[in-house]
Amino acid sequence: MPRPIALGLVQMSMTSEPAENITKALAMVEDAAGKGAQIVVLPELFQSRYFCQRPDDAFAFERSESIPGPTTEKLSELARRLKIVLVGGSLFENAGGKHFNTSVVMGPDGEIIGTYRKTHIPEDALYHEQRYFAPGDTGIKVFDTPFGRIAPLICFDQWYPEAARIAALQGAELILYPTAIGAVDAAVEENITGDWEQMWRNAMLGHAACNNVYVAAVNRCGTEDHLRFWGGSFVANPSSAILARTGDEEAVLLAQCDLDKVRPLQDAWRFFENRRSDMYGALAVSE
Amino acid sequence: MPRPIALGLVQMSMTSEPAENITKALAMVEDAAGKGAQIVVLPELFQSRYFCQRPDDAFAFERSESIPGPTTEKLSELARRLKIVLVGGSLFENAGGKHFNTSVVMGPDGEIIGTYRKTHIPEDALYHEQRYFAPGDTGIKVFDTPFGRIAPLICFDQWYPEAARIAALQGAELILYPTAIGAVDAAVEENITGDWEQMWRNAMLGHAACNNVYVAAVNRCGTEDHLRFWGGSFVANPSSAILARTGDEEAVLLAQCDLDKVRPLQDAWRFFENRRSDMYGALAVSE
């Protein structure tokens, strides 16, 4: 198991043509692997425009697909050819009529190592995800890959320290967040202002700091209807320092992650040993 | 209830003479109030040097005290005279022979609004707190004061998103962290390097971002034996932007906190409504 590993993030914009998006995604993954990336991550729902802006895109449902299915076959073939771990952003999964926002992790032999269904589903103006996705039923998952133990979480999960902590307690060394988040244009913006990109980044830097794990977010970019996706993909190390970060344009971002730094730092700070799980009952109680 | 409120943080260094430390603390609280602060916060264990550097300071136990007791009487009298809410950093509490690291919140009539006993107790080189303090038995507490609903947590608690979340779920608008954290000098430093002040700050910015609450940390400063306390006290708003921050010298830091911004931001982002408490069982299970 080679450690340190090279992580590659594919920040891309999407057109309304799935075939174009897949072609571009595959090309950018290949670009990342050509630059040395061993784990490559795509954005959330990278095959299409972010259809959840509308509450009622019937066409999106028609294009939802099974896992394994035609898209995972393409991703598997690429992962096998490039000998990489490929985290397939997320797909709109149709599981026998029940729909999920699902991340697929493929290994360097092309096998599906595992899938994760997004746990936290938002429902807001321009983010009508509850109209499309059932709440994930897999629980927080970690997967052993040839390049480290990784936890694929998805977008809105990033606001939940609960999810990051559960991943870290299961031994995740690297938490990945395929994402689709952007600024709402002035026509829709409510009377609440703030630097949301900074807030979004700080939430995840907090997860890195409190768990002493690597954290990476992979956002889309470009403007789609009323949303301007801000890009800003980044990788933070286990002491929450930012190792690499993109702007708001398409980019393949590379970062070296020495996963052997995770356990010694966790052992030095002892955040896990000094948890008081007897005091956390309020976290797991339904209201 | 006046909102916005002015928050004052007292960042100070300590000598080996408790009488000097208390005199200085009271003077700096008065300074903060003179500048308009309505809630004033002192550092952790502000009456003494950070005795936990040594595992066996018997003299520290001799000076531990009951609550209410001589120190809270002084703090109460000052809070009443200045008409402020005073968060008395933390005290080394002797509760009938059982010892805690305890924060006391005093109201503008001089009454004790409540106490909180530090939940998470570290035990590390130069931070031998488990030799002195029993794990807190109060649970995470929030207190309604005339200037807002506040949660006093203490130092090592800051690495626990669990504690911040529980405070926010109870309606805390402002989470306060009296702190004693510093860099270990080269003679003791292990072979683990990082920007710990940044990691410390990022952990708490994450709490602000994920809970949409104000967060403030009040550290000590100065060098004591093998620890250089880095100061760096700060206040962050509910979107995790830093409003004010000190350097590593003694300072009274003022920040305006519009607590009426907390609920609308929480309502806009809906992090609480979209929690999946059914998925968080692993957080509350003892290992």
Side-chain angles (χ1 to χ4, degrees), chain A residues 119-121 123-124 130 135-137 139 156 159-162 165-166 169 192 196 198-199 202-203 205-207 209-210 212 238-241 264-265 268-271 274-277 279-280 283-287, chain B residues 119-121 123-124 130 135-137 139 156 159-162 165-166 169 192 196 198-199 202-203 205-207 209-210 212 238-241 264-265 268-271 274-277 279-280 283-287:
Chain A
T119 300
H120 300 94
I121 313 291
E123 178 63 33
D124 283 307
Q130 292 180 10
D137 58 1
F156 201 60
W159 304 106
Y160 294 86
E162 296 91 339
R165 184 68 107 196
I166 290 170
L169 288 172
I192 298 270
W196 307 136
Q198 174 180 265
M199 183 170 110
N202 282 346
L205 293 180
H207 304 332
C210 292
N212 297 142
S239 57
S240 78
L265 198 62
W269 282 97
R270 300 196 221 211
F271 299 147
N274 288 309
R275 293 178 76 246
R276 294 285 310 278
S277 51
M279 289 293 189
Y280 304 153
L283 295 176
V285 171
S286 301
E287 289 170 43
Chain B
T119 299
H120 301 94
I121 312 291
E123 178 64 33
D124 282 306
Q130 292 180 9
D137 58 0
F156 200 61
W159 304 106
Y160 294 86
E162 296 91 338
R165 185 67 109 196
I166 291 170
L169 288 172
I192 299 268
W196 307 135
Q198 174 180 264
M199 181 169 113
N202 282 346
L205 293 181
H207 305 331
C210 293
N212 297 142
S239 56
S240 78
L265 199 62
W269 283 96
R270 300 197 221 208
F271 300 147
N274 288 310
R275 292 178 76 245
R276 295 284 310 278
S277 51
M279 290 291 189
Y280 304 153
L283 295 176
V285 171
S286 300
E287 291 169 42

Side-chain angles (χ1 to χ4, degrees), chain A residues 17 25 81 104 125 133 150 190-191 219 235 237 245 270:
Chain A
E17 287 303 320
R81 182 159 61 80
V104 186
F133 312 123
I150 66 175
E190 296 173 48
N191 189 25
N219 197 11
V235 182
N237 77 10
R245 181 175 152 194
R270 300 196 221 211

Side-chain angles (χ1 to χ4, degrees), chain B residues 80-99:
Chain B
R80 182 170 49 237
R81 182 158 61 79
L82 300 174
K83 302 288 175 213
I84 61 171
V85 167
L86 179 54
V87 179
S90 75
L91 307 179
F92 188 12
E93 180 187 9
N94 183 341
K98 194 163 184 180
H99 295 80

